Amino acid sequence: MIRVAYAKHSDPGMAVRSCAAALGPGRPEMLLVFCGGKHDPFVVRSALRQAFGPVPVYGGSAAGAVAREGFGYSGFELGIIAFHDPAVTPRCATTRELLPDERAGGAALGMRVAELANADDVVLLFFDSVAQASPLRLHPASVIVDGFHAGFGRRPVCLIGGGLLTDMNLAGGWVFDGEEVVKHAAVALVFPSSVRAETAVMHGCRPVSTFMEITRIDGAEVYELDGRPALTVIERMLGLPLGGSRGHELTLTATLGEKQGDPFAPYDENAYVNRLILRANPETGSVTLFEQDFAHGTRVQIMSRDNSLMLESVRRGVEEINRAVARTDALFGLYIDCAGRGSARSGAPVEEAALVQMGLDPGVPLLGFYSGVEIAPFAEGRSKPLDWTGVLTVLRRRA
Amino acid sequence: MSDGAQDIMIGQLERELAYYRRECNDLGARLLRLQEEQSQTFREARRSRTVAKLIREAYRLADGELTPGEIGTPMLEMIIENALCDGAALLEEDGESFRISHAIGVGVEVPSHPISIPSPPEFFFTTARTPIEPLAYELTSILRLPYVLWAYDKPTGRALILGNRSESNVSRPFEAGDQELIEGALSVYIDIMLRKQAEMELRGAKSAAERASAARARFLATLTHELRTPLNAIVGYSEMMAPGSRYDPSPADRGRYTEMILDAAHYLLKLADGILDYSYLEQVLPSLRPEWLQADKVIANTVAVAAGESRSREVAIAATEVDPALELCIDPVRFRQVLHNLLGNAVKFSPAGSIVEVITACATGGGVTVTVRDTGAGMRPEDIPRALEPFQQLDHNAVRSFGGAGLGLPIAKRLVEAHGGELLIESQPGLGTSATVSLPPARVRLRRED
């Protein structure tokens, strides 16, 4: 049995008590908790201990949460999934070693998960997205996931997850790793082989340029596109100069997308790996991406967010999931939603989370959180980190 | 096809490709800008909708059961939810400075000291370009957040401040256009709070009026009874002794009847005194004239006055020794009245042969307590609050023994409170009663020997 609860209150103790009351009696085997970033995590941890006893708690900060009862990104939300049935309770592996080397941290986690998981098992991965708040440096998901796959080995795994943030401004992040509140950590929840996942990745970007080649790049820093300063190329597209605080606005405006497969095949949102632009750097003429997985020679397109496309994509994705889980023993739905898709940031006239909240089969308990990056199986292959997506996954018992 | 023709064709295809690339990029750029403009327009519209939504949600608080003091936090939660800021606080003007009444947000700590803002502006905001002048420094130090949005309502002395850690909060710094949002939020808060206050005052006044009305009704009923009993005695015995009465009392009976009439008249007089005392209390309290008096003398004099009655009831009064240097800042007449009322009650209800104690002690923190303790009938603890309320005890058998109009304790309580002190009653039926007057440190000093 799995129960889900959601509350919103500026007093973390009150929020926890409210969730505990909604979850009802009985001590769960484990809690998966997503906690609004304005709450003091230590107070929340202590309140959870008081309400539930010595139950292991995994999860961490979230820019907001989504549930049947409501959703929001004020920072005072609290969402809890309580696992009561040992048959569907995941086993957990953790690492606190992201700061010195994200790849090594990811690899260590992958190796621990490999000891717990069978082929094709469902693994939920959550990690602290922010390495350093000022100047801002992220823990790149692409490096962590790459390390994870390296550590895990060649067996297939259904890896789904998200980066944990305290708010939409990327001010911080932290993790509940079963024991404590920690920074620079990642947790992996390995579900029993009897559990399967149905996943839909919802997008919302479309290309607005021809293909361009990255001709100079260093990590996440893209210096040149087709031999010209990357920032100049993007500024020309936008028709406005970027710099100072406006550099931050770029995050909202354009992304760089790499099309997988046949580059000249008709547009398919699922064919693109999008990378958000973290900031523009007028001094170097470069842009900093959220991830480091593009390389010299990668052919990219400038992508525009399209709110109506985003909403269409959500409607389509939710329908797809409803069809997939119909007449199955669904355990719960988890919505990992890029924080930038909230209408306060995207400018969408409708909250796309509301479409998930209302559209997903009412018989499926739902919890979601606003994330920094989303991880999901990509193009029938290994899981990849994705930007500007909503990943809706419903865990169900194997038929 | 000849090589030349092929070259021409390739050249044309290259030109065509370049044309499509250029057009594609131009159209893409236009699409990108349109998309951004649309998002920008929506975000601007969102600000207006935010104000409307905030007002709509906030007014729901007015319908709830929250007190004026309790609406601050839910109001801030709504503001943060709608404005998406890192922290927010409500402030209240307190003389020359401000104090935070409510605050929530990331790492927001409410400063215990008053916040000085010598010239609070009605509206203010900071950005990265705001010069670090005193006002900006004062306002940003409230939430310890560098980017703030401030509104102040001078007539009510209330202010609202929002704060962000980074300037580009959800991609937009605070700006002049945010005035509508913050002033709207503050106005709604003030409106709801004043409405709640008025509602509470009305409820309080209604409840007080109902209590007073009920108490007066009770008082009149019992007072009528209390007046009728001695008056019946006076009229009855007077008629028996009146010329032409069918009774012919003997001289001894006449003497007894006269004594009974006199007792009844004295009782009526005491009743009238008590009622007068209590009804004058409201006028007396503001005109208390406290002065520094030696505690030992005040207590000794009061004990001496009460000694007459106590001797007639064969009750002794024993006062503990008081430090002659101890001085109390009290109204000489009214504080003696307090002690006199307490001693009167203690003596009245003590059995013959018992001792009433008067214990003066220094309290922790620098105050003084004076306790009058008897071993009389006592009363049930649950009756004590009623005994301290005016007009409450006359109709209650268990506490009727306080006698008179039953106003001695209520009068003593009000007078002690007017001195900044407290009157505490402890009692158990059959064991007796302790009445303790506590005076605060400000009313106590030790006289220095010059």
Side-chain angles (χ1 to χ4, degrees), chain A residues 232-245:
Chain A
T232 308
V233 173
I234 294 169
E235 278 178 341
R236 195 162 295 161
M237 285 290 288
L238 286 170
L240 46 89
L242 300 165
S245 68

Side-chain angles (χ1 to χ4, degrees), chain A residues 9-269:
Chain A
H9 203 286
S10 61
D11 176 349
M14 191 72 90
V16 168
R17 285 192 293 280
S18 181
C19 280
L23 289 170
R27 179 178 287 185
E29 298 281 317
M30 196 195 100
L31 296 175
L32 176 57
V33 176
F34 299 104
C35 175
K38 285 194 179 71
H39 286 310
D40 180 333
F42 296 96
V43 175
V44 172
R45 186 68 191 86
S46 159
L48 287 168
R49 201 171 284 124
Q50 207 167 3
F52 297 97
V55 175
V57 176
Y58 294 90
S61 62
V66 182
R68 296 283 186 194
E69 300 88 339
F71 64 88
Y73 32 77
S74 69
F76 296 125
E77 295 77 15
L78 183 72
I80 300 179
I81 300 177
F83 296 88
H84 289 265
D85 180 357
V88 291
T89 301
R91 287 185 290 169
C92 302
T94 63
T95 177
R96 296 181 179 183
E97 297 301 318
L98 295 186
L99 188 60
D101 184 339
E102 283 97 353
R103 195 175 194 285
L109 186 65
M111 280 190 273
R112 279 170 212 147
V113 170
E115 291 168 12
L116 304 174
N118 296 312
D120 283 323
D121 277 357
V122 177
V123 176
L124 296 183
L125 171 66
F126 306 109
F127 65 93
D128 173 11
S129 268
V130 179
Q132 181 181 291
S134 183
L136 180 59
R137 187 174 79 77
L138 302 177
H139 283 305
S142 51
V143 180
I144 297 168
V145 171
D146 200 33
F148 178 90
H149 285 309
F152 185 77
R154 299 174 68 88
R155 281 180 299 160
V157 61
C158 178
L159 183 67
I160 297 158
L164 302 172
L165 289 176
T166 54
D167 55 55
M168 286 188 171
N169 291 319
L170 315 174
W174 43 263
V175 172
F176 287 131
D177 78 343
E179 300 286 327
E180 293 175 58
V181 178
V182 281
K183 277 291 295 171
H184 313 300
V187 298
L189 276 56
V190 183
F191 282 84
S193 299
S194 59
V195 173
R196 282 288 171 264
E198 298 294 343
T199 304
V201 181
M202 280 90 87
H203 299 263
C205 290
R206 66 174 308 132
V208 290
S209 79
T210 52
F211 290 102
M212 300 176 192
E213 192 176 309
I214 295 177
T215 45
R216 194 176 150 221
I217 188 169
D218 182 10
E221 199 74 8
V222 180
Y223 288 95
E224 285 179 11
L225 291 168
D226 281 344
R228 290 176 294 161
L231 187 54
T232 308
V233 173
I234 294 169
E235 278 178 341
R236 195 162 295 161
M237 285 290 288
L238 286 170
L240 46 89
L242 300 165
S245 68
R246 295 195 71 93
H248 199 74
E249 288 181 20
L250 200 52
T251 306
L252 280 175
T253 313
T255 68
L256 291 185
E258 182 191 17
K259 192 173 183 182
Q260 311 290 302
D262 177 4
F264 307 118
Y267 167 74
D268 172 7
E269 62 176 12

Side-chain angles (χ1 to χ4, degrees), chain B residues 126-138:
Chain B
T126 57
T127 67
R129 291 164 296 285
T130 306
I132 303 297
E133 288 171 349
L135 180 59
Y137 180 77
E138 285 153 13

Side-chain angles (χ1 to χ4, degrees), chain A residues 8 10 167 169 210 305 345, chain B residues 35 77 81 165 169-170:
Chain A
K8 180 156 55 179
S10 61
D167 55 55
N169 291 319
T210 52
R305 285 182 305 99
R345 284 213 86 148
Chain B
Q35 179 66 38
E77 285 174 1
E81 167 116 43
R165 286 176 294 197
N169 178 50
V170 191

